[in-house]
Amino acid sequence: MTRWWVVTDLDGTLLDHHYDWQPAAPCLRALKRRGVPVIPCTSKTAAEVRAFRRAAELNGPYIVENGGAVYGAGEPLVLGRPSDQLAQQLDALAQELSVPLRSLNACTLPEVQALTGLAGEAARLALARQWSLPFLPPAAEHWRALQAAAEQRGLAVVQGNRLAHLLARGCDKGQALAALRRRCAPPGLRVLALGDSPNDLPLLQAADVAVVVPGANGPHPELQAGVSSSRWQLAPAPHAPGWAAAVAAVLGLS
């Protein structure tokens, strides 16, 4: 018997840019009735994901900080480096490249609110980083040099919807999913993964069935090749409406 996990990015995928996921609520309820776990796999912090899981009435495991750690499946699985170490490395990279690199945690609360669209308690939860470091992305002409310098330090940088992220090398959403599968995958498991941006590439590549959720202007250019080759499916609409339609089509939900 085939067992499914739905492993999903949140921001820009299940959530729109106002953090609304309600159009997918009937689909989430249908998955719960069928016993199909919905596993967030996100750049958000554990504190943010716990708040989302309460609101969406999810249970089971969850992957946070771009694969930095896995929670909810026994003892936490930590793949990332502590964020205070990453902050020191970001400062060193800025000096080495003579490029200003400012972490989200170094921003004022009003700046965090402007960058993320979050306010109050939600903004505070977004700053509760443990295993990754979001930062303001540099100009495009510095991106390749930054990636190369980070790699030499045993680190990686990835681009999300709003911010870049500094991570330990080998720490990504695909590696975290693989670790979770090794720990608790049931026999016959198949994974449906959904994402929308470059930091979701490892997740989509690790899935049995992968769906790219488009933005208002279509799929992200870095995900277009996988869609064009039919390696990955394309959701029929952005965010929660497209997410729900794609999940229903793959899993045969009525």
Side-chain angles (χ1 to χ4, degrees):
M1 174 180 160
T2 301
R3 298 283 300 275
W4 285 95
W5 286 353
V6 175
V7 184
T8 183
D9 175 53
L10 295 181
D11 294 336
T13 299
L14 177 53
L15 311 183
D16 67 16
H17 296 303
H18 301 288
Y19 302 103
D20 181 24
W21 53 272
Q22 286 300 321
C27 183
L28 291 171
R29 289 193 291 270
L31 291 168
K32 190 172 186 178
R33 287 194 298 270
R34 287 203 178 188
V36 176
V38 175
I39 299 172
C41 184
T42 174
S43 63
K44 288 184 177 297
T45 66
E48 289 179 286
V49 177
R50 284 192 288 268
F52 171 75
R53 288 167 74 249
R54 286 193 296 271
E57 299 183 356
L58 302 182
N59 48 39
Y62 51 105
I63 298 166
V64 304
E65 298 194 43
N66 279 310
V70 183
Y71 295 99
E75 286 295 312
L77 290 164
V78 175
L79 286 75
R81 283 198 201 178
S83 56
D84 56 348
Q85 293 181 16
L86 293 170
Q88 294 172 3
Q89 292 290 330
L90 187 70
D91 289 342
L93 286 166
Q95 284 193 331
E96 177 183 337
L97 300 173
S98 298
V99 173
L101 298 172
R102 191 176 182 206
S103 74
L104 185 67
N105 289 57
C107 295
T108 66
L109 191 57
E111 287 173 325
V112 171
Q113 293 170 345
L115 285 165
T116 65
L118 297 169
E121 178 67 3
R124 187 187 68 78
L125 296 180
L127 294 174
R129 295 275 151 188
Q130 292 180 285
W131 311 114
S132 67
L133 192 72
F135 63 97
L136 279 64
E141 62 265 26
H142 300 302
W143 188 252
R144 286 185 182 276
L146 175 59
Q147 287 181 309
E151 187 173 346
Q152 288 196 341
R153 292 172 176 270
L155 304 170
V157 289
V158 296
Q159 180 66 56
N161 277 311
R162 305 171 192 249
L163 296 164
H165 300 263
L166 184 65
L167 307 161
R169 186 166 57 199
C171 168
D172 61 43
K173 293 182 178 185
Q175 293 292 335
L177 173 57
L180 181 59
R181 289 183 84 151
R182 288 192 296 269
R183 173 169 285 189
C184 60
L189 176 72
R190 285 174 63 79
V191 171
L192 166 60
L194 302 99
D196 76 305
S197 63
N199 64 328
D200 296 317
L201 271 166
L203 171 62
L204 299 172
Q205 291 165 343
D208 298 295
V209 179
V211 173
V212 173
V213 177
N217 299 315
H220 192 286
E222 291 192 35
L223 307 184
Q224 182 63 61
V227 173
S228 298
S229 67
S230 299
R231 180 182 179 191
W232 302 331
Q233 300 180 28
L234 181 65
H239 313 314
W243 186 98
V247 170
V250 172
L251 299 188
L253 303 179
S254 57

